Amino acid sequence: MAGLCLMIFLPFFYSFFVPFFYKYLSRIHTGWFVLPVPLVLFFYLIGFIGSNRNTGMVSLPWIPSLGINLTLYPDGLAILFGVLVSGIGALVILYSVYYLSKEREQLHNFYVYLLLFMGAMLGLVFSDNIMAFYLFWELTSISSFLLIGFWYQRRRSRYGAQKALLITVFGGLALLAGLLMLANITGTFSIREMIFQVEQIAADPLFIPALVLILLGAFTKSAQFPFYIWLPDAMEAPTPISAYLHSATMVKAGIYLIARFTPIFGGSGEWFWLVSGIGLLTLFWGSFSAVRQTDLKAMLAYSTISQLGMITCLLGVGSAALYFGPGEESVPYTTALLAAVFHLVNHSVFKGCLFMVVGIIDHETGTRDVRKLGGLISFMPVTFTLAVIGSFSMAGLPPFSGFLSKEMFFAAVVNVTQLNIFSMDAVGIVFPVVAWVASIFTFIYCMILVFKPFLGKHHPLKLEKKAHDAVYGMVVSPGILAIFVIFLFFYPNVAVEYFLMPVLASILPGFAEAGYGIGPVSAWHGLTPELLMTIGVVATGTVLYVFLRKWIRLYGYLPGALNLNALYDYLLIKTEDISARITRGYMTGSLMDYLRY
């Protein structure tokens, strides 16, 4: 288990040598020297799958007199996230070797920031001590700030980096307060020990404040409504970072936080309504907003917001399993949790693929504006194939893995209508209705991603470069992810057995012995309500896509100035004005005033 500590610190340790690689071996792309780090991490963590090594805990003393130590615990949830962080990290670094020019970019800075980001995520998901957890949590915000602002010469890059930092650090401070409340209630900094004191926590007056504050941290990080506004502006980062940030890191940290603390707060009505309700709202708003975007990366950014809302909603619905406890009544909700984890994996795979595809389009044509693109299938057939696989999986179409988790999502929201707790009554019908409408918008923007750039008339004069397919090295990473998309469709139960069931054991302690009651994941279960919903999505979405030009102008009637981005800008300006006014108040130039102060 000591090897786990070495693995966590490997990215931090290796980052010290990157500037030397860059300086003295400048003829070779720095990415080749960084690539072994995530590969070593990936293959080390894969060794935990299906073994008995994930039962131990390792602890390094930090401030032992206060009970604050770096305690690492490799359970199923941590291993899954660790594999995603390292595996997709390796593919992102390989992709960046061909995407980023060693002549024009400051690669030593880029890879140092990337390794810090990777190490922070690994430390976050494996930490059991809440103080170490919070340290790594904020380090992800700082490292993402550096990565988003990598092209600091651009005003939009600086703006996007600042926005992401302010919003996520705000949530991080709320999270810290919530974690300290839990520590005050339980007398421990260990998340494991807190889980064993669930009844004591639920009976404490600080239960609701701690719940709300922790969810504030989760919602800001995972770009849930209304805190999602930082994510589209984070698109100013280089595409490899966008692919990494959206598929396996940063935003997934918020999802991880919800999953990790579900054993403590799950089963309560407050947790159920906040998590599932905000998730459902985010799902709809993200998909609705994605359709109106003309920049392909912006469209993917809003699609990420939508998909994260879907995962969050499933985690909220699945938390009802803790209300019922192990048994037949909880089966629909343990299935919802399985759907959340399954879609988390699916989203990591197809979203990483799609961001790399958009990066290839931008790299080889000089634009991401869908209005300038068209007819690229003749010049970029390989990229088109990858776009079809990633987009159709996100749309929930067979034979791609997104179809399976989307069917499970529909089944989960249909089951909510039969839930007779948490004052559900007739409100439950909102879940399948909103989910179905949001899925229609998801289908539409997925079709835009595939057909608008690649089919139709080619406009060479609107492009900055002559269109051609990418070099083979650039398509390897999205190609591997596309293969996984198809593999997970045909062999989903391999992933369920070895990857996902251990995750359920982490989220639902005490359920393993009684059994989860979950049947095998299959593409065909007969003519079920969820299949009928899918058929309705495809039919309605196809009609709306065909007549897109006739109704998309309705977006123009939405208020332009009255939105959350305008509110953020207004608050930022007012904060600066108030700060300046206060500073002028005490900086009078009078020595007597300074002595009084």
PDB file of all heavy atoms in Angstrom, residues 230-246:
ATOM      1  N   TRP A 230     -19.187  29.289 -15.426  1.00  0.00           N
ATOM      2  CA  TRP A 230     -17.739  29.309 -15.614  1.00  0.00           C
ATOM      3  C   TRP A 230     -17.293  28.312 -16.680  1.00  0.00           C
ATOM      4  O   TRP A 230     -16.238  28.496 -17.305  1.00  0.00           O
ATOM      5  CB  TRP A 230     -17.016  29.026 -14.299  1.00  0.00           C
ATOM      6  CG  TRP A 230     -17.185  27.628 -13.758  1.00  0.00           C
ATOM      7  CD1 TRP A 230     -18.104  27.212 -12.843  1.00  0.00           C
ATOM      8  CD2 TRP A 230     -16.399  26.475 -14.089  1.00  0.00           C
ATOM      9  NE1 TRP A 230     -17.952  25.881 -12.583  1.00  0.00           N
ATOM     10  CE2 TRP A 230     -16.918  25.404 -13.331  1.00  0.00           C
ATOM     11  CE3 TRP A 230     -15.329  26.240 -14.939  1.00  0.00           C
ATOM     12  CZ2 TRP A 230     -16.386  24.108 -13.401  1.00  0.00           C
ATOM     13  CZ3 TRP A 230     -14.799  24.955 -15.021  1.00  0.00           C
ATOM     14  CH2 TRP A 230     -15.320  23.908 -14.260  1.00  0.00           C
ATOM     15  N   LEU A 231     -18.077  27.273 -16.910  1.00  0.00           N
ATOM     16  CA  LEU A 231     -17.606  26.185 -17.774  1.00  0.00           C
ATOM     17  C   LEU A 231     -17.482  26.587 -19.243  1.00  0.00           C
ATOM     18  O   LEU A 231     -16.457  26.284 -19.881  1.00  0.00           O
ATOM     19  CB  LEU A 231     -18.531  24.971 -17.621  1.00  0.00           C
ATOM     20  CG  LEU A 231     -18.008  23.666 -18.208  1.00  0.00           C
ATOM     21  CD1 LEU A 231     -16.672  23.287 -17.607  1.00  0.00           C
ATOM     22  CD2 LEU A 231     -19.010  22.532 -17.983  1.00  0.00           C
ATOM     23  N   PRO A 232     -18.467  27.276 -19.853  1.00  0.00           N
ATOM     24  CA  PRO A 232     -18.271  27.689 -21.246  1.00  0.00           C
ATOM     25  C   PRO A 232     -17.068  28.606 -21.437  1.00  0.00           C
ATOM     26  O   PRO A 232     -16.379  28.523 -22.457  1.00  0.00           O
ATOM     27  CB  PRO A 232     -19.587  28.403 -21.588  1.00  0.00           C
ATOM     28  CG  PRO A 232     -20.602  27.793 -20.667  1.00  0.00           C
ATOM     29  CD  PRO A 232     -19.858  27.551 -19.400  1.00  0.00           C
ATOM     30  N   ASP A 233     -16.810  29.480 -20.470  1.00  0.00           N
ATOM     31  CA  ASP A 233     -15.651  30.363 -20.592  1.00  0.00           C
ATOM     32  C   ASP A 233     -14.332  29.623 -20.411  1.00  0.00           C
ATOM     33  O   ASP A 233     -13.281  30.108 -20.838  1.00  0.00           O
ATOM     34  CB  ASP A 233     -15.747  31.496 -19.565  1.00  0.00           C
ATOM     35  CG  ASP A 233     -16.835  32.500 -19.919  1.00  0.00           C
ATOM     36  OD1 ASP A 233     -16.685  33.212 -20.912  1.00  0.00           O
ATOM     37  OD2 ASP A 233     -17.853  32.547 -19.207  1.00  0.00           O
ATOM     38  N   ALA A 234     -14.389  28.440 -19.789  1.00  0.00           N
ATOM     39  CA  ALA A 234     -13.176  27.631 -19.648  1.00  0.00           C
ATOM     40  C   ALA A 234     -12.732  27.039 -20.971  1.00  0.00           C
ATOM     41  O   ALA A 234     -11.648  26.455 -21.063  1.00  0.00           O
ATOM     42  CB  ALA A 234     -13.411  26.513 -18.628  1.00  0.00           C
ATOM     43  N   MET A 235     -13.544  27.202 -22.017  1.00  0.00           N
ATOM     44  CA  MET A 235     -13.189  26.705 -23.345  1.00  0.00           C
ATOM     45  C   MET A 235     -12.019  27.450 -23.959  1.00  0.00           C
ATOM     46  O   MET A 235     -11.515  27.074 -25.014  1.00  0.00           O
ATOM     47  CB  MET A 235     -14.393  26.800 -24.291  1.00  0.00           C
ATOM     48  CG  MET A 235     -15.536  25.874 -23.960  1.00  0.00           C
ATOM     49  SD  MET A 235     -15.055  24.147 -23.985  1.00  0.00           S
ATOM     50  CE  MET A 235     -14.667  23.872 -22.270  1.00  0.00           C
ATOM     51  N   GLU A 236     -11.597  28.534 -23.317  1.00  0.00           N
ATOM     52  CA  GLU A 236     -10.445  29.270 -23.814  1.00  0.00           C
ATOM     53  C   GLU A 236      -9.150  28.502 -23.600  1.00  0.00           C
ATOM     54  O   GLU A 236      -8.111  28.867 -24.138  1.00  0.00           O
ATOM     55  CB  GLU A 236     -10.353  30.636 -23.127  1.00  0.00           C
ATOM     56  CG  GLU A 236     -11.513  31.566 -23.433  1.00  0.00           C
ATOM     57  CD  GLU A 236     -11.636  31.869 -24.920  1.00  0.00           C
ATOM     58  OE1 GLU A 236     -10.579  32.010 -25.581  1.00  0.00           O
ATOM     59  OE2 GLU A 236     -12.766  31.969 -25.417  1.00  0.00           O
ATOM     60  N   ALA A 237      -9.207  27.440 -22.822  1.00  0.00           N
ATOM     61  CA  ALA A 237      -8.027  26.599 -22.632  1.00  0.00           C
ATOM     62  C   ALA A 237      -7.721  25.838 -23.917  1.00  0.00           C
ATOM     63  O   ALA A 237      -8.604  25.634 -24.761  1.00  0.00           O
ATOM     64  CB  ALA A 237      -8.272  25.623 -21.488  1.00  0.00           C
ATOM     65  N   PRO A 238      -6.471  25.388 -24.107  1.00  0.00           N
ATOM     66  CA  PRO A 238      -6.167  24.534 -25.256  1.00  0.00           C
ATOM     67  C   PRO A 238      -7.061  23.292 -25.255  1.00  0.00           C
ATOM     68  O   PRO A 238      -7.440  22.791 -24.188  1.00  0.00           O
ATOM     69  CB  PRO A 238      -4.695  24.158 -25.035  1.00  0.00           C
ATOM     70  CG  PRO A 238      -4.143  25.247 -24.169  1.00  0.00           C
ATOM     71  CD  PRO A 238      -5.274  25.687 -23.301  1.00  0.00           C
ATOM     72  N   THR A 239      -7.398  22.789 -26.426  1.00  0.00           N
ATOM     73  CA  THR A 239      -8.339  21.672 -26.544  1.00  0.00           C
ATOM     74  C   THR A 239      -7.939  20.445 -25.722  1.00  0.00           C
ATOM     75  O   THR A 239      -8.811  19.795 -25.136  1.00  0.00           O
ATOM     76  CB  THR A 239      -8.528  21.303 -28.023  1.00  0.00           C
ATOM     77  OG1 THR A 239      -9.138  22.408 -28.689  1.00  0.00           O
ATOM     78  CG2 THR A 239      -9.415  20.079 -28.171  1.00  0.00           C
ATOM     79  N   PRO A 240      -6.650  20.055 -25.638  1.00  0.00           N
ATOM     80  CA  PRO A 240      -6.327  18.915 -24.776  1.00  0.00           C
ATOM     81  C   PRO A 240      -6.782  19.110 -23.334  1.00  0.00           C
ATOM     82  O   PRO A 240      -7.257  18.167 -22.692  1.00  0.00           O
ATOM     83  CB  PRO A 240      -4.791  18.821 -24.869  1.00  0.00           C
ATOM     84  CG  PRO A 240      -4.461  19.421 -26.191  1.00  0.00           C
ATOM     85  CD  PRO A 240      -5.458  20.527 -26.381  1.00  0.00           C
ATOM     86  N   ILE A 241      -6.658  20.338 -22.845  1.00  0.00           N
ATOM     87  CA  ILE A 241      -7.102  20.619 -21.478  1.00  0.00           C
ATOM     88  C   ILE A 241      -8.621  20.576 -21.392  1.00  0.00           C
ATOM     89  O   ILE A 241      -9.192  20.068 -20.422  1.00  0.00           O
ATOM     90  CB  ILE A 241      -6.564  21.982 -21.019  1.00  0.00           C
ATOM     91  CG1 ILE A 241      -5.058  21.903 -20.851  1.00  0.00           C
ATOM     92  CG2 ILE A 241      -7.214  22.419 -19.716  1.00  0.00           C
ATOM     93  CD1 ILE A 241      -4.595  20.757 -19.980  1.00  0.00           C
ATOM     94  N   SER A 242      -9.308  21.112 -22.390  1.00  0.00           N
ATOM     95  CA  SER A 242     -10.766  21.050 -22.401  1.00  0.00           C
ATOM     96  C   SER A 242     -11.230  19.596 -22.362  1.00  0.00           C
ATOM     97  O   SER A 242     -12.165  19.244 -21.635  1.00  0.00           O
ATOM     98  CB  SER A 242     -11.316  21.749 -23.647  1.00  0.00           C
ATOM     99  OG  SER A 242     -10.951  23.107 -23.669  1.00  0.00           O
ATOM    100  N   ALA A 243     -10.577  18.752 -23.150  1.00  0.00           N
ATOM    101  CA  ALA A 243     -10.937  17.337 -23.173  1.00  0.00           C
ATOM    102  C   ALA A 243     -10.722  16.703 -21.801  1.00  0.00           C
ATOM    103  O   ALA A 243     -11.555  15.929 -21.328  1.00  0.00           O
ATOM    104  CB  ALA A 243     -10.108  16.604 -24.229  1.00  0.00           C
ATOM    105  N   TYR A 244      -9.619  17.034 -21.150  1.00  0.00           N
ATOM    106  CA  TYR A 244      -9.296  16.458 -19.845  1.00  0.00           C
ATOM    107  C   TYR A 244     -10.214  16.995 -18.760  1.00  0.00           C
ATOM    108  O   TYR A 244     -10.748  16.243 -17.931  1.00  0.00           O
ATOM    109  CB  TYR A 244      -7.838  16.779 -19.520  1.00  0.00           C
ATOM    110  CG  TYR A 244      -7.225  15.911 -18.449  1.00  0.00           C
ATOM    111  CD1 TYR A 244      -7.588  14.570 -18.304  1.00  0.00           C
ATOM    112  CD2 TYR A 244      -6.249  16.414 -17.594  1.00  0.00           C
ATOM    113  CE1 TYR A 244      -6.998  13.779 -17.332  1.00  0.00           C
ATOM    114  CE2 TYR A 244      -5.656  15.628 -16.623  1.00  0.00           C
ATOM    115  CZ  TYR A 244      -6.032  14.308 -16.496  1.00  0.00           C
ATOM    116  OH  TYR A 244      -5.455  13.518 -15.524  1.00  0.00           O
ATOM    117  N   LEU A 245     -10.425  18.305 -18.763  1.00  0.00           N
ATOM    118  CA  LEU A 245     -11.247  18.962 -17.748  1.00  0.00           C
ATOM    119  C   LEU A 245     -12.691  18.463 -17.792  1.00  0.00           C
ATOM    120  O   LEU A 245     -13.329  18.263 -16.763  1.00  0.00           O
ATOM    121  CB  LEU A 245     -11.183  20.472 -17.950  1.00  0.00           C
ATOM    122  CG  LEU A 245     -11.824  21.390 -16.919  1.00  0.00           C
ATOM    123  CD1 LEU A 245     -11.052  22.707 -16.874  1.00  0.00           C
ATOM    124  CD2 LEU A 245     -13.268  21.695 -17.263  1.00  0.00           C
ATOM    125  N   HIS A 246     -13.224  18.235 -18.997  1.00  0.00           N
ATOM    126  CA  HIS A 246     -14.629  17.876 -19.152  1.00  0.00           C
ATOM    127  C   HIS A 246     -14.884  16.382 -19.013  1.00  0.00           C
ATOM    128  O   HIS A 246     -16.009  15.978 -18.725  1.00  0.00           O
ATOM    129  CB  HIS A 246     -15.145  18.331 -20.524  1.00  0.00           C
ATOM    130  CG  HIS A 246     -15.390  19.795 -20.606  1.00  0.00           C
ATOM    131  ND1 HIS A 246     -16.640  20.340 -20.775  1.00  0.00           N
ATOM    132  CD2 HIS A 246     -14.548  20.849 -20.533  1.00  0.00           C
ATOM    133  CE1 HIS A 246     -16.558  21.657 -20.806  1.00  0.00           C
ATOM    134  NE2 HIS A 246     -15.289  21.990 -20.668  1.00  0.00           N
TER     135      HIS A 246
END
